[in-house]
Amino acid sequence: MVYPKIVVSPPGPKARELVRKDELFVSPSYLRYYPLVVESANDCIVKDVDGNEYIDFNSGIACMNVGHNNPSVVEAIKAQCNRFLHYSNTDFYYKEAIDLAEKLAEITPGEFKKKTFFGNSGTEAIEAAVKLARWHTRRPLFIGFIGAFHGRTMGSLAFTASKPVQRGYFSPFMPGVAHVPYPYCYRCPFKLTRPNCNYWCADFIEEQVLHKYMPPEDVAAILFEPIQGEGGYVVPPPEFFQKLKKIADEYDLLLIDDEVQSGMGRTGKWFAIEHWGVEPDIICTSKALASGLPIGAMVAKAKVMDWNPGSHASTFGGNPVSCAAALAVLDVIKDEQLLDNACKQGDHVMKRLEEFRQTSRIVGDVRGRGLMIGIELVEDKETRKPAPKKASEVMLRSWRRGVTVVTCGVSTLRIVPPLTIQTDLLDSALDILEDTINEVAKET
Ligand SMILES: Cc1ncc(COP(=O)(O)O)c(C=O)c1O
């Protein structure tokens, strides 16, 4: 079978009809990149209601790391459905949640003892981390990063800072959050260049924030994404997180690592922070953990997770079907050596795109780890002026030609296929993507 397979120019008639109905009944707050209406999906291929088959370059927004409808995961879900669907892990016990917490303690970085709190989503994992940090430290303040995305509930939203539309008309937010510049070297917020910058982005936090207006004795934690996701697939420089850890140790601040998008093998390691060799106090994961079923997990050092019974809980958190799916996901990643495949295929994509960058007029930067890769489009390579319209045009045209790529940040295309993808399929999708970028570059 050769993919992609476009049989009707998308959106086809069935998709158009469903989108029309959606407009009548579904919340208009959803973003919707393009009118893709999914009928079914298998491994790296998504089929729409009109029979078109696409190569999935976004994995349902970084959730389907083990591929769509992975047979082992589906079997585990079915088996759990035949046993029981729910029994409130916050009030009683069941093995699935206990086993998953044990496994998460094993795969998250750090040899220390850990405990897990279960919620249902990424934002709930972040809410839990923020509450735990306040509980444990008895300190009110936090440091977050400009460009971050941590979710949209009121606590997480206080940290989210990647697009004004996410925050507009929702003030006031949870007080006590200071945002500092993220190490985005292609567009250094301090207009410096490496290595001459000497990691001013890290020293800034100490010299300009902790020494000026956020008294360290009042700061509970620093919340960060190891690679900014919604903010544009931004990869910090090699020593940044070691420097952040040094600051955290110096002032006794907790490090909260948001791996909701970058975790579960996406970058070729279980968790992206491992690329920097830093062991955070708290790690949040969600998205790919249960292969599309709702779950969020906040894994903390056991000595940090010292809150009282009743201080935080959620009826559905750690649902047994989601936990069974997650246990199967962990086995699949290990048994099918998907960390290795993410590294191997990621290297292939990076090499190919780096060559392409050199010939393209509008590809400014290519960056990533494993299969979490961003292509930043610019109007002009000298000025580096972002090209959001071009990025959007490339995204739409690629979709119409059979590749479900989406954007992030201001003008970055993200490549986030299932970790099961093989080189031939990757190359078919990259052929389309590069061709579309060339087409858009020529026209404008
Ligand atoms: C890094 C990060 N944190 C948190 C979230 C929020 O997750 P959810 O949409 O499941 O609440 C997201 C979602 O994209 C994310 O990318």
Side-chain angles (χ1 to χ4, degrees):
M1 193 71 82
V2 178
Y3 293 109
K5 241 176 42 191
I6 299 298
V7 293
V8 186
S9 181
K14 288 186 185 159
R16 285 204 301 273
E17 181 53 25
L18 282 161
V19 168
R20 195 190 59 78
K21 198 167 165 190
D22 178 282
E23 279 166 10
L24 291 177
F25 295 111
V26 178
S27 169
S29 65
Y30 299 148
L31 185 69
R32 268 60 185 278
Y33 288 102
Y34 35 79
L36 167 65
V37 183
V38 176
E39 163 78 28
S40 60
N42 182 38
D43 199 14
C44 304
I45 303 298
V46 176
K47 191 171 182 179
D48 76 11
V49 285
D50 294 288
N52 295 312
E53 294 181 67
Y54 308 84
I55 301 173
D56 192 6
F57 252 24
N58 78 73
S59 299
I61 312 297
C63 292
M64 308 311 295
N65 289 10
V66 297
H68 290 276
N69 279 20
N70 184 289
S72 307
V73 176
V74 173
E75 269 318 301
I77 291 170
K78 282 185 185 163
Q80 183 58 39
C81 286
N82 286 334
R83 294 178 58 235
F84 66 103
L85 299 179
H86 167 75
Y87 212 82
S88 196
N89 187 46
T90 71
D91 301 288
F92 303 97
Y93 301 87
Y94 43 83
K95 186 174 183 321
E96 293 72 14
I98 299 165
D99 285 350
L100 182 57
E102 183 185 24
K103 285 266 165 65
L104 286 171
E106 274 167 34
I107 62 165
T108 44
E111 288 302 313
F112 35 81
K113 289 199 174 98
K114 299 169 200 143
K115 290 188 176 177
T116 291
F117 172 91
F118 289 112
N120 304 284
S121 61
T123 199
E124 280 183 58
I126 300 297
E127 294 281 342
V130 168
K131 283 183 74 176
L132 178 64
R134 271 206 178 150
W135 168 274
H136 176 74
T137 62
R138 305 292 151 118
R139 298 176 180 183
L141 305 181
F142 290 88
I143 294 173
F145 286 90
I146 297 169
F149 187 90
H150 297 292
R152 297 172 185 270
T153 51
M154 280 311 214
S156 305
L157 189 57
F159 293 86
T160 288
S162 65
K163 292 196 176 93
V165 68
Q166 295 150 353
R167 294 167 69 95
Y169 309 118
F170 294 123
S171 293
F173 305 110
M174 184 189 105
V177 179
H179 286 89
V180 298
Y182 195 75
Y184 187 172
C185 298
Y186 184 66
R187 298 187 183 284
C188 175
F190 299 106
K191 310 269 183 235
L192 298 172
T193 40
R194 282 186 58 223
N196 297 341
C197 64
N198 244 333
Y199 284 90
W200 171 236
C201 48
D203 292 343
F204 174 88
I205 296 170
E206 187 171 22
E207 291 178 31
Q208 300 295 316
V209 180
L210 294 169
H211 289 182
K212 302 271 192 222
Y213 70 101
M214 296 286 275
E217 64 274 20
D218 284 346
V219 178
I222 304 177
L223 171 60
F224 66 88
E225 290 162 274
I227 295 177
Q228 275 190 346
E230 302 305 306
Y233 277 34
V234 182
V235 185
E239 289 164 52
F240 179 73
F241 287 113
Q242 281 97 328
K243 291 187 183 287
L244 198 66
K245 170 95 174 100
K246 224 169 135 215
I247 295 170
D249 286 348
E250 167 91 25
Y251 298 100
D252 206 14
L253 318 179
L254 297 176
L255 281 183
I256 307 175
D257 173 18
D258 179 348
E259 298 262 4
V260 168
Q261 187 152 172
S262 57
M264 307 315 301
R266 171 52 57 195
T267 67
K269 299 206 183 269
W270 281 109
F271 295 95
I273 193 64
E274 293 172 64
H275 290 284
W276 284 267
V278 164
E279 296 169 354
D281 302 285
I282 300 176
I283 293 191
C284 298
T285 177
S286 178
K287 283 189 183 287
L289 176 57
S291 203
L293 264 58
I295 195 164
M298 185 266 286
V299 186
K301 281 181 175 162
K303 67 173 191 202
V304 170
M305 197 177 284
D306 57 357
W307 45 15
N308 281 344
S311 54
H312 194 49
S314 146
T315 299
F316 292 123
N319 169 275
V321 184
S322 298
C323 287
L327 286 164
V329 165
L330 299 181
D331 284 345
V332 171
I333 292 177
K334 204 162 151 239
D335 297 347
E336 297 183 15
Q337 291 153 19
L338 295 186
L339 302 184
D340 289 347
N341 197 50
C343 292
K344 179 177 153 205
Q345 305 301 344
D347 286 350
H348 171 70
V349 178
M350 286 295 285
K351 189 164 169 281
R352 191 175 153 163
L353 287 178
E354 183 46 38
E355 281 164 20
F356 180 63
R357 186 188 69 77
Q358 286 168 23
T359 63
S360 168
R361 193 174 61 76
I362 62 168
V363 174
D365 195 25
V366 173
R367 53 186 178 247
R369 291 282 183 282
L371 282 170
M372 183 172 186
I373 294 172
I375 309 172
E376 182 159 343
L377 299 190
V378 292
E379 295 292 347
D380 172 324
K381 283 191 174 178
E382 281 296 303
T383 63
R384 299 189 177 185
K385 186 174 173 220
K389 284 204 179 115
K390 286 189 171 68
S392 182
E393 193 57 33
V394 170
M395 172 181 82
L396 282 173
R397 290 189 197 189
S398 300
W399 167 60
R400 289 199 196 104
R401 291 175 62 177
V403 181
T404 62
V405 69
V406 299
T407 54
C408 57
V410 178
S411 59
T412 297
L413 298 155
R414 50 177 138 171
I415 297 181
V416 206
L419 309 181
T420 50
I421 201 161
Q422 298 301 321
T423 314
D424 51 349
L425 207 57
L426 263 178
D427 278 337
S428 301
L430 288 174
D431 287 347
I432 292 174
L433 196 58
E434 289 179 359
D435 198 45
T436 311
I437 293 174
N438 284 338
E439 205 179 86
V440 169
K442 249 188 238 143
E443 283 170 22
T444 46

